[in-house]
Amino acid sequence: MTRKALVLALSLAAAALPSLAQEQVLNLYSARHYSTDEALYSNFTTATGIKINRVDADDAGILARLKAEGAASPADVILLVDAARLYKGQVDGMFKPVKSKVLEDAIPAQYRGPTTAEGIPWFGFSTRARVVVYDKARVKREDVDTYEELADPKNKGRICIRSGSHPYNLSLFGALTEHLGEAKAQDWLKGLHGNLARDPKGGDTDQIKGVASGECQIAVTNSYYVARMMRSSNPQDRAAMEKVSVVFPNQQSWGTHLNIAGGAVAKNSKNPAAAVRFLEYLASPEAQNYFANGNNEWPVAKGVKVSNPALQAMSGNGDFKAETIPLQAVGANQVKVQQMLDRVGFK
Ligand code: FE
């Protein structure tokens, strides 16, 4: 090699170094379907130089993919939008042990999956309530202010709800099974199914629109879909929201059902340190704002305040009673709930 070629080779090697350092990539398997999360990921990349390579699927799709990929899975971080699916990922051995004082300090214990004997936790990053929306001209609030009343004959032919076996409903029904016991929960599911205005179809937003259009009078939906329509720039959405009211059920008893969106480190992650760094970032005040507030959810990290007028308006400044039951119980009830749904013919 000539002296000139050597100098060239050395300078090329030096030039390659920073780009190698920037090549670090984190593979994120995400069930979050919210465009506001984009800023979150690019901020993380700016701050750390770690690129995010995202694979989108729903909760069940992600768990199935992890299972199929096995030890060869490139996944580093898993984000799911349902506590029961996080529970399932944990018990099916899809997650890796994590020890992070940052996460333990930031996230209250009730929003974390219990750490297994192997030291495998999952972490909640935001919460959403499963609320009732009703036609304020045709329905009395006191007829829909508990989940139990949704199964009462007085609400026959009035209710719109998405598929019974969607994770949001499986978790709500799993929680109800915990509160009522299995026999009463099955009667409740039968009553609810008997009260439907139409066969289940569409997502939560479609149920709210069903009330606004008069096809039904009562809908069950996650809170963020309500807030999103309240904040929508589409005049039709705003007109729809003029016709409806929101109730947080069971304020006089066990409280409104809360679900959790959260994450864990993938079992076969090749970059566990970067994966933990990303989860720690999600618990930071800045990220909590994008992650939770951006999608009209409540942040879970200690000391993080939400300032979201739509959420505040619908929940009485966030001052509502939320259910407090062990999340693993909701997760463990899923199989039972699916069997009950099959028995009562609730698709
Ligand atoms: Fe959703």
Side-chain angles (χ1 to χ4, degrees), residues 145-146 148 248-256 321:
D145 60 2
T146 67
E148 290 93 318
F248 282 61
N250 292 61
Q251 291 304 291
Q252 307 307 319
S253 58
W254 63 69
T256 299
K321 182 176 177 183

Side-chain angles (χ1 to χ4, degrees), residues 33-34 81 128 162 166 168 204 222 224-225 228 295:
H33 48 94
Y34 320 118
V81 293
R128 54 280 290 283
R162 76 194 304 167
H166 186 275
Y168 300 157
D204 284 357
N222 280 355
Y224 59 86
Y225 294 109
R228 193 184 295 169
N295 184 44

Side-chain angles (χ1 to χ4, degrees), residues 205-220:
T205 304
D206 298 304
Q207 317 311 317
I208 304 172
K209 289 179 176 170
V211 174
S213 73
E215 195 178 358
C216 33
Q217 298 176 32
I218 301 163
V220 178

Side-chain angles (χ1 to χ4, degrees), residues 127-134 141 144-147 149 219 221-224 226-227 230 245-258 296 298 310-323:
T127 63
R128 54 280 290 283
R130 199 125 182 88
V131 301
V132 170
V133 163
Y134 62 95
R141 187 181 180 88
V144 290
D145 60 2
T146 67
Y147 295 114
E149 285 170 297
T221 173
N222 280 355
S223 44
Y224 59 86
V226 179
M230 287 167 79
S245 275
V246 185
V247 62
F248 282 61
N250 292 61
Q251 291 304 291
Q252 307 307 319
S253 58
W254 63 69
T256 299
H257 174 66
L258 271 195
N296 303 296
W298 289 279
L311 263 192
Q312 266 151 295
M314 68 186 270
S315 66
N317 283 325
D319 204 12
F320 65 93
K321 182 176 177 183
E323 162 191 83

